[in-house]
Amino acid sequence: MPTDAKSQNIDLQKEGKLKFHRGTALTIFASDRHEDVMALALSLLIALGTYLFVN
């Protein structure tokens, strides 16, 4: 099964001379910043819930 070269480079990032894949192109967030803030808020809620449940 041949792979589509364009699909392999859909999320290719370039910094200086380096090229890397950021991760997946499938996301519900508009930007990486929104994704990071949501992950931080969710982890805070999980930590708070764990603290309240254990104590």
Side-chain angles (χ1 to χ4, degrees):
M1 175 182 238
T3 59
D4 185 12
K6 193 174 186 179
S7 69
Q8 297 296 315
N9 295 328
I10 194 167
D11 203 22
L12 194 61
Q13 301 289 321
K14 194 173 186 179
E15 278 190 25
K17 296 180 180 179
L18 300 175
K19 289 182 184 178
F20 63 94
H21 289 274
R22 185 179 69 81
T24 180
L26 301 174
T27 183
I28 60 171
F29 300 100
S31 71
D32 287 344
R33 180 76 54 176
H34 289 120
E35 186 176 359
D36 293 343
V37 169
M38 188 59 70
L40 184 62
L42 184 59
S43 63
L44 179 63
L45 286 174
I46 291 171
L48 182 63
T50 302
Y51 176 77
L52 292 175
F53 183 71
V54 171
N55 281 337

